[in-house]
Amino acid sequence: DVTDFIILVCGGAGSVANILRVMDEMKLKNYRVGILPLGTGNDLSRSLGWESAYDKTYSMSDFLDNLMNADKYMLDRWSVTITQMGENVSGKTMLVMNNYFSIGTDANIALKFHEKRIEKPHKFLNRHWNKMKYVGYAASAFLDRTKGLEKNLKIQVDGVDLKLPELEGLIVINLPYYAGGINLWNKPEREFGNLKINDGIIEVVGIKNSFH
């Protein structure tokens, strides 16, 4: 019956998601999670104040001291139901979302990266090279664009169907940061204010292309 303990996750958002999933399965509560950012994008780490990457000049003892004395922030976690429909396909999949998920161009880029990393994991050990690979996949997606996505989407908020502009991607997001450090909210021309990880609100963002 251990409670109020701290877990240090050394990795990226995927590693954190796996740990949280195991905690859910074990029905454990009253724990805190700190992140040593060793992933590629580290958007969850940025959003929680653990920086974008681990600075090797920063001693591990100092890092652990900061971990023990860090402020506690709650993180919204969202249940996602994926329903497969088709002539020969049906069924539902239940997932938990911590960061964001996407449909269209952005999802295509992420899927290509994931499939290549699964196929040849030894080529994806360097964070900076991983980011360069993402850029390459984004350039490829720009040439092979997912046009007319809005024609195949229906978004309903509080019972009201939204009228969609031309889209190549849709992002449902829970964090201030996206795609390795892009802040969608901290721009003067935007009127929505800053996104918070614990406000009980999920944001839906449309993107026009892979360089939007």
Side-chain angles (χ1 to χ4, degrees), residues 43-160:
D43 290 312
L44 180 57
S45 175
R46 295 172 199 264
S47 301
L48 292 171
W50 293 105
E51 305 301 331
S52 61
Y54 174 58
D55 184 354
K56 294 181 180 179
T57 63
Y58 188 47
S59 73
M60 183 56 66
S61 60
D62 287 342
F63 182 88
L64 293 175
D65 284 340
N66 286 338
L67 176 67
M68 296 300 296
N69 296 294
D71 294 331
K72 183 190 296 186
Y73 289 94
M74 301 301 290
L75 173 68
D76 291 339
R77 303 177 68 212
W78 298 85
S79 297
V80 179
T81 302
I82 301 174
T83 303
Q84 298 179 343
M85 297 186 298
E87 293 182 0
N88 301 313
V89 179
S90 64
K92 292 185 178 181
T93 302
M94 302 292 294
L95 302 173
V96 175
M97 187 194 78
N98 305 310
N99 291 16
Y100 45 77
F101 74 86
S102 58
I103 302 170
T105 296
D106 178 75
N108 187 31
I109 296 169
L111 179 61
K112 287 181 179 179
F113 181 89
H114 174 72
E115 290 177 340
K116 291 294 183 181
R117 183 163 60 175
I118 293 297
E119 180 183 347
K120 298 179 179 179
H122 60 282
K123 292 187 176 182
F124 291 80
L125 302 178
N126 184 287
R127 177 173 176 267
H128 298 292
W129 277 111
N130 287 352
K131 283 197 167 187
M132 292 301 296
K133 290 183 177 72
Y134 255 114
V135 172
Y137 294 140
S140 175
F142 183 76
L143 298 175
D144 183 20
R145 303 162 78 175
T146 308
K147 295 182 179 181
L149 182 63
E150 73 283 353
K151 299 176 183 178
N152 298 297
L153 286 177
K154 179 181 179 180
I155 300 179
Q156 191 175 85
V157 179
D158 296 332
V160 178

Side-chain angles (χ1 to χ4, degrees), residues 141-210:
F142 183 76
L143 298 175
D144 183 20
R145 303 162 78 175
T146 308
K147 295 182 179 181
L149 182 63
E150 73 283 353
K151 299 176 183 178
N152 298 297
L153 286 177
K154 179 181 179 180
I155 300 179
Q156 191 175 85
V157 179
D158 296 332
V160 178
D161 293 338
L162 300 185
K163 184 178 179 180
L164 301 177
E166 292 185 4
L167 294 174
E168 292 187 10
L170 189 79
I171 307 165
V172 180
I173 188 168
N174 187 45
L175 304 179
Y177 295 101
Y178 150 79
I182 297 174
N183 189 333
L184 296 171
W185 318 99
N186 189 23
K187 294 187 177 182
E189 67 271 19
R190 301 196 186 279
E191 303 175 356
F192 309 112
N194 290 325
L195 185 154
K196 296 181 180 179
I197 63 174
N198 55 2
D199 57 4
I201 299 173
I202 196 75
E203 277 72 20
V204 180
V205 182
I207 57 174
K208 297 177 181 178
N209 55 61
S210 57

